[in-house]
Amino acid sequence: MSDLAPPATELLHRKLVLQFQESRRTFAGYRDTFTFLLGFAGRRTGRRPTRLSISDLDAPTIGAFFQHLETVRGDPPHPSSRDAIVPALRGLRAPGHAA
């Protein structure tokens, strides 16, 4: 298992669902965003999303992901979406990693 799975599970399940009791829409939005991001990062690195590491989700990859959404998909993320995605990604950092 990659080092990405445990903190992603923690964020999506424990924090969003249990701790913050976020709505189903919010949860689905995060889930879908991470699905798109991991697919993008997997294509970029040549690895399956299940083999990605936290370090694969670095600033250049996230920037390229946003650019991809805007240019290729024609679906620019709303500023509030970016404001939600970036802290969520920081939340994926394993203990001891700099944010």
Side-chain angles (χ1 to χ4, degrees):
M1 176 182 349
S2 80
D3 66 346
L4 183 58
T9 300
E10 172 77 18
L11 174 74
L12 291 173
H13 179 68
R14 291 191 183 97
K15 286 188 179 176
L16 288 179
V17 176
L18 300 177
Q19 182 179 356
F20 298 121
Q21 298 179 342
E22 294 291 341
S23 72
R24 289 182 183 184
R25 276 191 179 162
T26 300
F27 178 82
Y30 273 87
R31 181 202 61 215
D32 294 348
T33 298
F34 281 110
T35 299
F36 290 137
L37 172 61
L38 295 176
F40 175 82
R43 288 187 300 279
R44 186 173 164 102
T45 63
R47 287 186 295 223
R48 291 182 179 181
T50 56
R51 299 288 183 204
L52 293 172
S53 169
I54 290 173
S55 63
D56 292 318
L57 301 180
D58 57 7
T61 300
I62 302 305
F65 173 65
F66 285 137
Q67 186 68 29
H68 169 77
L69 291 177
E70 293 171 10
T71 58
V72 175
R73 290 182 50 93
D75 185 21
H78 190 275
S80 65
S81 297
R82 283 184 189 237
D83 291 345
I85 293 167
V86 172
L89 293 172
R90 285 189 186 123
L92 292 178
R93 293 276 182 211
H97 279 83

